[in-house]
Every structure is written in C-alpha cells, then in structure tokens.
Amino acid sequence: MARRSRLRDVLLASLLGPLLVLLLVDSALSWWTSAQLANRAYDRGLYEIAREAALHVHATPSGPRLDLTPAAERALLVDQDDRMALRVWSAPGTPIGGDPALEAPAHAPRDARGPRFHTGMLRGEPVRIVVAWLPYDEADPSRQVLVQVAETLGKRHRLAWEIVASIVAAQLVLIGMACAAVFWGVGHGLRPLSAVGSAVARRSHQDLSPLETEGVPEEVRPLVDEVNALMLRLGATLDAQNRFVADAAHQLKTPVAGLKAQIEVALGEDDPDRVRHSLAQLYVSAERLSRIVQQLLALARNEPGAVAAVHLQAVDLEAFALEICMEWAPQALRRSIDLGFDGHGSPLAIDADPDRLRDLINNLIDNAVRYSHEGGKVTVAVRLHGDERLLSISDDGPTIPAQERTRVFERFHRLVGGRTEGSGLGLAIVSEIAALHGARITLQEDHDGTGNAFTVHFPPPEPPGPARV
Ligand SMILES: Nc1ncnc2c1ncn2[C@@H]1O[C@H](COP(=O)(O)OP(=O)(O)OP(=O)(O)O)[C@@H](O)[C@H]1O
Ligand SMILES: [Mg+2]
C-alpha cells in the first residue's frame, strides 16, 4: 500500500530538521561567545588578585621577597567556587614563593604591557592563568616581580552554561511557536480544499452542475475547474446515453409492432401459399429490423467516449479498401452498377481500428450502391494528398443538395422523397468513426457533375515509438 503523507507532517518535518540543526550550531556558537564573556568578566578579578599579591612582595638587600602569612594567603586565594594557586618569580626561572605546582610561564617578556591570560593545567585540572610583571617597590616602580595566579574554571563554566541555557530556552520556545503556527496554518490553509471535498461528498449522483468557484483560492481553482470539466464530460456522456436509449426505443417500436402484426396475419392464413408469402414478407421485415439494430449498436459503439476502446494499428488503406470493394461486387452487379476501384498504386499506411474502418467503408459503399440509379457508376478511390491519405467514394446517385450536406451526417436524417429503406444512421456512424480516427470527412458534388463524392481525409500514421499505446 502506498504510504499516505500528510501535508502537515511533511511541512513540520521539513521545518523541524533545519531548525534543530540551526539550534545546535547556534548553541555551539553561543557557548563559545559565552565562554569569552565569562573569561572577560572573571579575568579582571584574577588580575586584581595578582596585583594584591604583588603588595606582599618586599624589597630586601638580597632581592624581592614574598611575605604572605597563611591568613593573608587564605584571604587572597580562597574562593567558594574555585581552587586557586599563586606563584611569584623575581625573574624567569627564579621563583621566590608560592605553589611550585604552577610551572614557569612559557613566555613572559618584561616589556609586556598589562597582564597576559592563558589556559593551562594544574594538578590535572584545566585552569585559567594570569601572568603579569608588577612593581613591588613604591620608590622604584621599575623593580618588578612576575606574578602568576591560576584559577579552576568552575564559575566561568557555570556562567557560560547559564547564558547558553537562557538563549537555547528562548529558541526552543520559538521553535515550538513555529510548529504551532505550521499546525494551525496548514489546517487553516487547507480549509478550502476540505470545503470542496464536502461539496462533492454532499452531491447526489445525478447532480452534475458545476461546483461553486466563488471564493475558491487560486491554488485550489485548477482542481475545481478540472472537477467541473469532468462533470461536463460526464453530463455529455450521460446525455448521449439517454439519447441513444430514447432513439433506440423509438426506432424499434414501429418495426417490432409491424412484425407482430405480420405474424398475426400469417397465423390466420390457411392457404400454404399465402402462409409462405407472409413468411417471405416477415423475412424482409426481420432483416430490416436486424439492420436497424446493427446500426444502433454501431452508433453506440462509436460514441466519442469510446476512444479508449479503439485499437489503432497500421493498416494498408489501399489493400483494405480494395478487399471491401470486391465484397460489394455481387450486390453492385445485381443493380447493374459499375463498381470500380481507383487505387494509389502502392500501399498507403494509416493508423486504424480495422473493424471500425470496415464499418465506415461499408456504410459509404452501401449508400453509393443503394442510392445510385440502376446502371450507374460507383468508384472507390484511394490516393495521397500532401501527407493526408484520402479515401473517396463517388456515385451517380441523386446529388445531395448543398444545404443538406451537413445534415445528412445527423442521426436519423434522411432526404425527403427517398425511395429506399434506411434508418438514417449510416452517415452518423461514418462521422463518429472518422472522428475516432482523427479523420475529417467532406461531401461534394461528384466531379463529373452527377452524384456525390464522400471523401475521408486520414492523418498520416504516427511514427512508431514507445509512447504509443
Ligand atoms: N450516396 C448517396 N447518394 C444520395 N443520397 C445519399 C447518399 N448517401 C446518403 N444519402 C442520403 O442521406 C441520408 C442519410 O444516409 P445514411 O447512410 O445516414 O442513412 P440511411 O442510408 O438512410 O440508413 P442506414 O445507412 O442507417 O441504413 C440517406 O437517407 C439518403 O437520403
Ligand atoms: Mg446509409
């Protein structure tokens, strides 16, 4: 089963991912900035302790000496958060007191201006260390000792964490609000779609009126338009079906009633000759009825909606038309009609559904043979015109008046005063089949001035390719 995705989940996932990455990057940056800030805040205090320590250095004839009582040391170096250490040097490499665990600074030039801060290790713990040359003799400020004070990072880390935590907390609240906004926004934004959904759901299957487009947002409009277009197509198909059922009922009622009446007459006859005569009449009527049924079914089979059922294949129009033409020879002969074939001379391919193409040609030749006067001439011609493949059937029958040339293609339309029987469906079927083949059909007066020329213009076949179905 295909996984169903909810727009809301997709949006949330695509929003939350980048936001969380952003939060991580931002937290790392905030941690770095906060650590800088914490250092800046506590370094000053560390330097103050170094200066204070320098006050406990006194000048003696043998050089500077550190006089730090335990009480003074405690006052200087005891902190409730961190452990501290102090070491004083009269010159690099010459310690005069303090914690021997504090190693000599790697680089402490005498002319350095102000204190220098760096991080280091003291008894396996990371520490922040200040290194500064400080005067110890008020009388001669140029006499200086090197003071080192180290402090573990406890309060610095705590301050940095507090800053990061407050930033991250604010950002988490923002992310939560963004998610809530997406949740609400998607629900709100999709409301028009749900409205369209319930408008369709509320409908009865007979209601094919278009959906309301007033107030429908631009994005949903194509969907509503497509649904409305589908309704129109459905409506047209339903109309066609209803029309067909009504036509069929109307067309079949009279001949069936006629058949019944003829059977009743035949049943009342005693004379075998008259019975045979009635049966012969019955046969003619049944055949006429069978023709009407066939034509009605052909009409239904070739409705414009049947396009999906059409199986186009490459057909040689020349050979196909010649074959059908020969099938009609006996019937033409019976009416002394000169049925001729005027071919292109070589195969002429079209894309066609053979059964339907046969119906089309049969109907046109049937009309030509049926409506031409006895001894007339009917010609079936196949030729190429540009890239169009033309099939034309010309006859010697009564010329169809110009004003009737479109109407003869309508269902059940027959010319007034026609002598022969017919249901008036043949040309309607022909034009339906032509449309299913993408062909157009024209009707002109035959070029010899008597009769008609029906011409079907077939498009060239499509080149073979994987896209064809
Ligand atoms: N070749 C033709 N020559 C003269 N009139 C024609 C010709 N073809 C068609 N018609 C006229 O057009 C009308 C419609 O033809 P169509 O083929 O649709 O119906 P039909 O021949 O009457 O009945 P069906 O073909 O269904 O048995 C015919 O009744 C006839 O009057
Ligand atoms: Mg006909």
Side-chain angles (χ1 to χ4, degrees):
M1 204 179 82
R3 260 190 66 211
R4 293 205 309 176
S5 63
R6 288 182 59 194
L7 194 56
R8 189 176 282 171
D9 297 346
V10 174
L11 271 178
L12 277 181
S14 48
L15 185 74
L16 269 182
L19 275 182
L20 286 177
V21 171
L22 204 70
L23 181 70
L24 280 177
V25 172
D26 194 43
S27 304
L29 282 177
S30 310
W31 168 254
W32 187 81
T33 323
S34 317
Q36 301 293 312
L37 280 175
N39 273 343
R40 207 176 296 165
Y42 290 112
D43 280 353
R44 190 165 294 279
L46 205 59
Y47 179 50
E48 285 307 319
I49 293 171
R51 282 167 35 122
E52 190 95 0
L55 296 179
H56 294 275
V57 177
H58 298 110
T60 67
S62 57
R65 194 183 69 229
L66 176 67
D67 293 324
L68 199 60
T69 61
E73 188 177 343
R74 249 196 326 276
L76 256 187
L77 299 180
V78 172
D79 182 276
Q80 60 183 35
D81 294 309
D82 286 296
R83 281 173 299 289
M84 302 184 76
L86 166 79
R87 200 164 190 197
V88 182
W89 312 70
S90 59
T94 325
I96 56 169
D99 190 341
L102 253 179
E103 282 173 20
H107 182 65
R110 258 177 203 279
D111 53 357
R113 278 224 227 119
R116 290 162 61 87
F117 298 93
H118 64 100
T119 41
M121 297 296 281
L122 179 66
R123 295 189 184 91
E125 263 190 288
V127 282
R128 181 81 172 163
I129 302 168
V130 62
V131 179
W133 283 101
L134 293 163
Y136 62 91
D137 188 352
E138 268 177 33
D140 181 3
S142 67
R143 299 174 79 183
Q144 295 184 332
V145 281
L146 183 65
V147 181
Q148 251 183 317
V149 183
E151 181 184 50
T152 54
L153 305 179
K155 54 181 170 294
R156 292 165 195 264
H157 278 178
R158 204 173 52 239
L159 178 61
W161 270 123
E162 276 168 13
I163 297 173
V164 170
S166 62
I167 291 174
V168 170
Q171 283 176 349
L172 278 176
V173 170
L174 264 181
I175 290 178
M177 281 165 61
C179 290
V182 166
F183 218 76
W184 179 84
V186 171
H188 185 76
L190 293 183
R191 216 174 283 165
L193 262 183
S194 326
V196 171
S198 28
V200 174
R202 272 199 307 271
R203 270 166 184 252
S204 91
H205 65 283
Q206 282 165 330
D207 181 3
L208 293 177
S209 61
L211 292 172
E212 189 60 64
T213 49
E214 194 75 25
V216 169
E218 280 293 297
E219 293 81 356
V220 185
R221 188 64 190 263
L223 177 69
V224 176
D225 287 346
E226 281 306 317
V227 171
N228 284 342
L230 178 67
M231 299 271 206
L232 269 183
R233 289 201 295 274
L234 268 178
T237 310
L238 273 182
D239 280 353
Q241 277 179 5
N242 290 339
R243 216 172 47 199
F244 173 75
V245 172
D247 287 347
H250 183 73
Q251 290 300 310
L252 294 177
K253 223 185 300 173
T254 322
V256 169
L259 263 187
K260 271 172 67 186
Q262 280 177 324
I263 292 170
E264 270 167 30
V265 170
L267 286 175
E269 297 286 2
D270 295 326
D271 179 3
D273 279 348
R274 295 184 74 100
V275 171
R276 195 167 301 118
H277 177 72
S278 295
L279 279 178
Q281 276 185 333
L282 258 176
Y283 181 79
V284 173
S285 303
E287 209 163 1
R288 205 178 299 144
L289 184 62
S290 145
R291 163 85 177 163
I292 295 178
V293 170
Q294 265 178 22
Q295 292 290 77
L296 278 171
L297 290 178
L299 191 71
R301 206 174 43 240
N302 294 300
E303 282 284 344
V307 72
V310 174
H311 300 296
L312 293 185
Q313 61 187 72
V315 170
D316 173 14
L317 184 61
E318 168 103 349
F320 200 83
L322 177 60
E323 186 191 316
I324 298 177
C325 200
M326 279 160 69
E327 287 167 11
W328 276 92
Q331 214 151 323
L333 206 64
R334 233 172 285 147
R335 298 203 64 222
S336 313
I337 283 174
D338 172 13
L339 175 61
F341 182 78
D342 179 11
H344 169 62
S346 56
L348 210 50
I350 58 167
D351 285 334
D353 181 323
D355 290 341
R356 292 182 156 87
L357 182 61
R358 177 174 291 277
D359 260 3
L360 177 144
I361 302 177
N362 271 335
N363 267 297
L364 288 176
I365 300 184
D366 176 62
N367 282 350
V369 170
R370 194 133 47 104
Y371 299 114
S372 284
H373 60 79
E374 277 207 26
K377 190 166 184 277
V378 170
T379 308
V380 177
V382 172
R383 58 184 196 280
L384 190 66
H385 182 257
D387 59 357
E388 277 186 334
R389 278 84 172 128
L390 306 191
L391 166 76
S392 69
I393 287 109
S394 46
D395 59 48
D396 274 348
T399 308
I400 299 174
Q403 71 274 17
E404 289 281 350
R405 284 188 191 146
T406 341
R407 297 204 62 202
V408 285
F409 290 97
E410 290 172 9
R411 294 161 167 215
F412 307 112
H413 187 76
R414 309 199 71 227
L415 297 190
V416 281
R419 287 164 290 117
T420 43
E421 298 276 348
S423 58
L425 289 177
L427 289 179
I429 296 169
V430 166
S431 69
E432 278 186 347
I433 295 177
L436 288 178
H437 284 79
R440 71 193 164 87
I441 180 158
T442 53
L443 165 56
Q444 284 163 331
E445 196 179 359
D446 192 13
H447 65 271
D448 62 12
T450 353
N452 313 284
F454 287 85
T455 307
V456 190
H457 304 243
F458 288 97
E462 277 191 23
R468 285 187 66 199
V469 274

